[in-house]
Amino acid sequence: MRLVILETSDKVSEWAAKYVMKRINDFKPGPNKYFTLGLPTGSTPLGMYKNLIRYHKEGKISFKYVKTFNMDEYVGLPREHPESYHFYMWNNFFKHIDIDPANAHLLDGNASDLVKECEDFERKIEEAGGIELFVGGIGPDGHIAFNEPGSSLVSRTRVKTLAQDTLEANARFFGNDISKVPKQALTVGVGTVMDAKEVMILITGTHKAFALYKAIEEGVNHMWTVSAFQQHQHTIMVCDEDATLELRVKTVKYFKQQEAAVTMHEIDPPIPGTNWKFSQENDVDI
Ligand code: PGA
């Protein structure tokens, strides 16, 4: 596992966007070779999307041959509701880039058969050849997507009842009225994300510090579902200094040294299948 520690959340956004861009461009997608990208919603990835839109407008990246699969969606919220993840993705990302709408996959929380909707989503991922890079965020309770504490670590896409902590955390998007937050969501499972070739998890802010500690310093535990990614072969956690506050100094030093070694090209390239190396200072030449 790689832990990339950057000074601020803005730097996390920039690093993540450059990483996604680099992975897509190195893949050289084309009509017979689509890049499949798993995507999250929430406040954390907003900066990454803004940067990717900018790089797209500057002609540095195209999403023409990219297929995306979003992690989750509320059940029962109309698509056009400003808090639906459909609305979020179209407004914050898709409408600003050149992705073919047919290639942007989101779970339909209003499907008449939710179980079938989840099964179909898994099938579509499989038909697309699996996910090349899954980007995710986490909740303060350590959930990834809507895999709440206690979720099976081999879970697949399914209907999930949201934990009280999540309802409380998301109430801010519903006028601070917890009764307006949908109680259920469709979500990819931990197993679905684990199947991706590579996983990048963004973690920023002091309110995520305990979750980051649980994710990397303690054992794999279904009560902190993000901890499952300790067992993924290619996980990168990208965090800001604030999110490291509950980590041991020893842990922080170790990972900072690792990244410095990457900068100095002393260890293996961090990205499987490429010879690209990312500097800790984030000064990659695109
Ligand atoms: P946030 O949500 O990015 O808005 O903090 C992340 C999550 O709950 O998964």
Side-chain angles (χ1 to χ4, degrees), residues 41-45 137-140 143-145 170 172-173 207-208:
T41 52
S43 46
T44 314
I138 65 166
H143 69 220
I144 176 128
N170 290 0
R172 68 189 194 277
F173 301 119
H207 63 304
K208 303 275 176 79

Side-chain angles (χ1 to χ4, degrees), residues 148 162-172 178 181-183:
E148 302 288 33
L162 305 187
Q164 183 65 20
D165 280 355
T166 304
L167 298 178
E168 281 168 17
N170 290 0
R172 68 189 194 277
I178 200 163
V181 186
K183 308 285 177 291

Side-chain angles (χ1 to χ4, degrees), residues 19-20 31 60-61 66 113 122 131 147 153 200 218-219 221 254 267 271 277 284:
Y19 194 84
V20 170
K60 292 174 178 165
I61 183 168
V66 173
D113 185 341
E122 288 275 344
I131 307 265
N147 293 288
L153 299 184
M200 177 167 69
E218 297 226 329
N221 183 337
Y254 171 76
I267 63 171
I271 307 170
K277 300 177 180 78
V284 102

Side-chain angles (χ1 to χ4, degrees), residues 111-177:
S112 54
D113 185 341
L114 294 175
V115 173
K116 180 173 181 302
E117 174 66 15
C118 294
E119 284 167 4
D120 287 351
F121 199 71
E122 288 275 344
R123 191 181 32 77
K124 282 181 211 158
I125 293 175
E126 211 178 300
E127 283 168 6
I131 307 265
E132 194 67 27
L133 172 64
F134 221 130
V135 183
I138 65 166
D141 62 0
H143 69 220
I144 176 128
F146 275 126
N147 293 288
E148 302 288 33
S151 293
S152 158
L153 299 184
V154 294
S155 50
R156 311 302 306 187
T157 305
R158 67 211 184 288
V159 185
K160 192 77 195 162
T161 298
L162 305 187
Q164 183 65 20
D165 280 355
T166 304
L167 298 178
E168 281 168 17
N170 290 0
R172 68 189 194 277
F173 301 119
F174 292 85
N176 287 318
D177 182 351

